[in-house]
């Protein structure tokens, strides 16, 4: 998912997915590599395949700060699609076109797990998965939202 200032020319009213190459000349606001979550590495891989290295204008380890910097026109950002649910003022979200624009987050749970907190967490993951699949389908992207049995 690409976060773009609402008044940025790429934000537009078009909800169609955007090609990563369209961001080649843009400044970026990204998470620092030191967070160790893999997002920076994933973005570097995606942009490298698209033929460019992102020009990082600012690093931010906080979601709210990243989106505020995007809204302030410091750059665009590639963020997890869950950021869309925050609905910050001044930020428009576009999905990335192509299969490389999506990544998987996996969760492993013991097959016979009985802890109520774990079950609640797994239920929330499934709910989020269904919501994301619905949002992506509305943008013309269809993913396999199938999950293995518990």
């Amino acid at each position: 998912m690409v976060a773009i200032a609402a008044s940025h020319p790429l934000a537009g009213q078009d909800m169609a997915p955007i090609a990563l190459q369209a961001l080649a000349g843009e400044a970026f606001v990204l998470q620092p590599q030191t967070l160790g979550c893999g997002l920076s590495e994933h973005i570097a891989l995606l942009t490298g395949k698209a033929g460019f290295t992102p020009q990082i204008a600012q690093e931010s380890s906080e979601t709210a700060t990243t989106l505020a910097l995007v809204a302030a026109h410091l750059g665009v950002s590639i963020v997890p699609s869950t950021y869309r649910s925050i609905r910050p003022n001044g930020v428009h979200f576009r999905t990335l076109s192509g299969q490389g624009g999506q990544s998987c987050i996996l969760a492993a749970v013991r097959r016979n797990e009985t802890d109520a907190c774990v079950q609640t967490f797994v239920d929330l993951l499934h709910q989020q998965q269904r919501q994301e699949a619905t949002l992506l389908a509305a943008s013309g992207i269809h993913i396999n939202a199938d999950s293995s049995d518990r």
Side-chain angles (χ1 to χ4, degrees):
M1 177 86 30
V2 180
I4 306 170
S7 59
H8 189 286
L10 291 174
Q13 298 300 319
D14 185 10
M15 295 303 292
I18 187 171
L20 190 57
Q21 293 87 347
L23 304 175
E26 299 291 331
F28 279 77
V29 178
L30 298 175
Q31 290 184 346
Q33 225 175 356
T34 55
L35 281 182
C37 66
L39 184 59
S40 295
E41 293 82 359
H42 185 65
I43 292 169
L45 180 67
L46 290 175
T47 56
K49 285 181 179 180
F52 72 97
T53 300
Q55 301 305 308
I56 301 172
Q58 183 68 46
E59 291 185 330
S60 170
S61 57
E62 298 293 326
T63 302
T65 303
T66 297
L67 297 177
L69 292 170
V70 167
H73 295 271
L74 256 63
V76 300
S77 191
I78 298 174
V79 298
S81 57
T82 55
Y83 281 32
R84 183 191 305 214
S85 64
I86 298 171
R87 299 182 184 195
N89 289 330
V91 178
H92 185 85
F93 292 97
R94 300 265 312 261
T95 56
L96 287 170
S97 62
Q99 289 297 327
Q102 291 81 42
S103 61
C104 267
I105 297 176
L106 304 175
V109 180
R110 291 182 292 244
R111 183 175 297 277
N112 297 319
E113 180 62 61
T114 59
D115 184 275
C117 288
V118 173
Q119 289 298 326
T120 299
F121 180 70
V122 169
D123 290 344
L124 287 171
L125 288 176
H126 284 288
Q127 178 184 359
Q128 183 67 34
Q129 180 184 33
R130 288 188 300 273
Q131 289 173 347
E132 292 300 317
T134 301
L135 286 172
L136 288 172
S139 297
I141 298 172
H142 298 281
I143 61 169
N144 181 1
D146 189 28
S147 59
S148 63
D149 60 316
R150 290 183 171 185

